[in-house]
Amino acid sequence: MPIKVLFFASLRERIGQSQRLLESDAPLTLQEIWQRSSGEAHLPDNVLMSVNQTYVDANSLVQPGDEVAFFPPVTGG
Amino acid sequence: MPIKVLFFASLRERIGQSQRLLESDAPLTLQEIWQRSSGEAHLPDNVLMSVNQTYVDANSLVQPGDEVAFFPPVTGG
Amino acid sequence: MQYVDVRETPFEPWQYLAAWQAQQLPENARSGATAVFVGTMRDFNEGDDVTGMYLEHYPGMTERQLATLVAEAAQRWSLDAALVVHRVGEILPAQPIVLVAVWSAHRAAAFEACRHLMETLKHTAPFWKRETLSNGTVRWVERNTPG
Amino acid sequence: MQYVDVRETPFEPWQYLAAWQAQQLPENARSGATAVFVGTMRDFNEGDDVTGMYLEHYPGMTERQLATLVAEAAQRWSLDAALVVHRVGEILPAQPIVLVAVWSAHRAAAFEACRHLMETLKHTAPFWKRETLSNGTVRWVERNTPG
């Protein structure tokens, strides 16, 4: 099961893609997912992350089949 | 010009009147007005007072022609 | 725009707001933040079933005091507009008693001004509630519930 | 009753509230206190004239996060009902963006829950504003204004 990676808003534009599928048979860290999906070495401090549509911190592990999202600070309301 | 004295709500029922006119050529204290209009000696602590439809404290002086009101704690909203 | 309406007839708060905003606040002057409070008559109080209420007030001073409270809040929080509607006379359970609405450029100001207006109204506007219980007893409400 | 509506089409908040309350809250269950906040799009931001806005969101997580916030507030303040409506997509100045409404037995709970819901929505619901200025510039809003 691939890991589905999503990018939103200004981060989506900077990365140049909105969605990417990563093949993995083992759990990955969010840092690894960021590097493999964005092509950028370091996960910026102000990027927010979710796994399966729930907020997580950068130390969380991601399982094959999970949906991961990276996005900038939210500005709704 | 008489002083017009009004009573409201439970105080109006206790005093047994809603309005009274007091003749006076000189300023009166609220304590004097209370005694002459209510027939009760002492102004209760929890009675609120207004002169010309603005809140005042018990030490205020009332001029001939003024409108005075005595009423219990308010319970609107 | 500041407006006070002390009325004997029932009102539906959302329809009132829709009509008032459409008439008084042109679309190109719409504020970023609107905060509203509606107080509705309940059918119980202090453990008793309440079937009706009479809301006495001090005609003249009521409008004057409410207008003063609205003007003070409008100045303190730089409100774009403020509206207070309050029923008097005979009121039935489930009928709205009070509507407070404020319009501001900022949401903190809107929330704070709306809440402050409700608290000062409850503590200083000359209204008195007399309620009728299901057993026929009629009593004056002695004090308001805390904020 | 808890309800979240993330929608692409404009809405008129007072008509929405009138219809929702009539359908979802029977008259004999009317709460004593209702607090409402409406956030409306302005035609300026950070000193610039704004002519339009696109509100991006994370479909699925948005509804989920809003439902979580509503459920947490409903439990914390023992709310009778809570409603959140939020626009996404293309939005024009003077159009409502967000509506938060809560129904409670107590006015303090209503005010606090409504304000808390707006703050947590602003800080955690996955929406992003991209605004178009009168000179044609398109930019992402970097952060929300403080509460």
Side-chain angles (χ1 to χ4, degrees), chain D residues 100-113:
Chain D
V100 171
V102 303
W103 287 258
S104 166
H106 305 288
R107 71 180 184 283
F111 275 121
E112 285 163 21

Side-chain angles (χ1 to χ4, degrees), chain C residues 73-141:
Chain C
Q75 171 151 17
R76 177 169 167 187
W77 283 282
S78 298
L79 301 178
D80 299 329
L83 167 69
V84 172
V85 183
H86 205 295
R87 283 286 303 282
V88 293
E90 298 289 351
I91 304 179
L92 294 173
Q95 288 184 345
I97 299 172
V98 60
L99 163 64
V100 171
V102 302
W103 287 259
S104 166
H106 305 288
R107 71 181 184 283
F111 276 121
E112 286 163 21
C114 187
R115 188 167 186 177
H116 181 83
L117 262 174
M118 267 307 298
E119 297 306 315
T120 53
L121 182 159
K122 285 217 164 227
H123 289 101
T124 71
F127 296 106
W128 301 275
K129 289 178 177 142
R130 189 187 66 201
E131 57 192 15
T132 301
L133 307 186
S134 57
N135 64 10
T137 305
V138 175
R139 68 183 180 195
W140 292 96
V141 175

Side-chain angles (χ1 to χ4, degrees), chain B residues 4-6 11-12 20 22-23 25-26 28 34 39-41 47 50-51 53-56 58 62-63 67 72-73:
Chain B
K4 184 176 172 184
V5 185
L6 305 172
L11 198 57
R12 169 175 56 70
R20 179 134 184 205
L22 290 185
E23 293 299 334
D25 296 332
L28 294 177
W34 171 261
E40 296 186 358
V47 167
S50 65
V51 173
Q53 304 186 356
T54 300
Y55 280 102
V56 294
V62 179
Q63 305 297 328
E67 175 179 303

Side-chain angles (χ1 to χ4, degrees), chain A residues 6 8-10 12-13 50 52-55 67 69 71-77, chain D residues 56-58 60-61 64 86 98 121-129 140-141 144:
Chain A
L6 305 172
F8 288 98
S10 58
R12 170 176 55 72
E13 293 184 346
S50 66
N52 299 330
Q53 305 185 356
T54 299
Y55 280 101
E67 175 179 302
F71 46 83
V74 300
T75 56
Chain D
E56 182 169 330
H57 76 302
Y58 181 171
M61 181 168 172
R64 187 184 176 118
H86 205 294
V98 60
L121 181 158
K122 285 217 163 227
H123 288 102
T124 71
F127 296 106
W128 301 274
K129 290 178 178 141
W140 292 96
V141 175
N144 266 325

